[in-house]
Amino acid sequence: KAKKRATGEYFACKYIANTFDSVNGCINVYRELAILRHLSSMPQNIFTSQLRDVILYSPDDTLEQARGIFLFMTFEELDLN
């Protein structure tokens, strides 16, 4: 759960660590992003959270030092009990 300071809106936040350590890791993240983007574009989709933003985590803001990816999606208050 993350809060956008400017608007006070809450988002679900998912961090995927060590994304770029292997080719398979890159492929898996790319596949997940492609599916989320496709599902987010469907107006009648009520089963998945909509992807709002993707942020690359890098200590020095370069692609060569990238460590992971943050995915921000709509936050849904749900109780699975």
Side-chain angles (χ1 to χ4, degrees):
K1 186 174 176 180
K3 182 178 180 180
K4 187 174 183 179
R5 291 181 187 165
T7 63
E9 186 178 6
Y10 284 98
F11 293 93
C13 178
K14 178 179 181 179
Y15 177 64
I16 305 173
N18 304 322
T19 307
F20 305 104
D21 287 350
S22 69
V23 173
N24 287 338
C26 292
I27 292 170
N28 290 339
V29 170
Y30 176 78
R31 186 179 301 126
E32 182 173 353
L33 283 172
I35 291 169
L36 278 172
R37 286 187 66 204
H38 179 71
L39 291 173
S40 295
S41 68
M42 300 171 75
Q44 311 305 342
N45 180 15
I46 60 170
F47 301 106
T48 60
S49 294
Q50 291 186 340
L51 182 65
R52 294 295 184 190
D53 201 2
V54 178
I55 297 176
L56 182 70
Y57 168 67
S58 177
D60 60 358
D61 294 330
T62 63
L63 190 56
E64 290 80 22
Q65 296 297 319
R67 302 265 171 95
I69 290 181
F70 285 96
L71 305 179
F72 292 93
M73 297 164 276
T74 53
F75 182 75
E76 305 293 338
E77 293 273 352
L78 295 177
D79 186 7
L80 297 177
N81 291 333

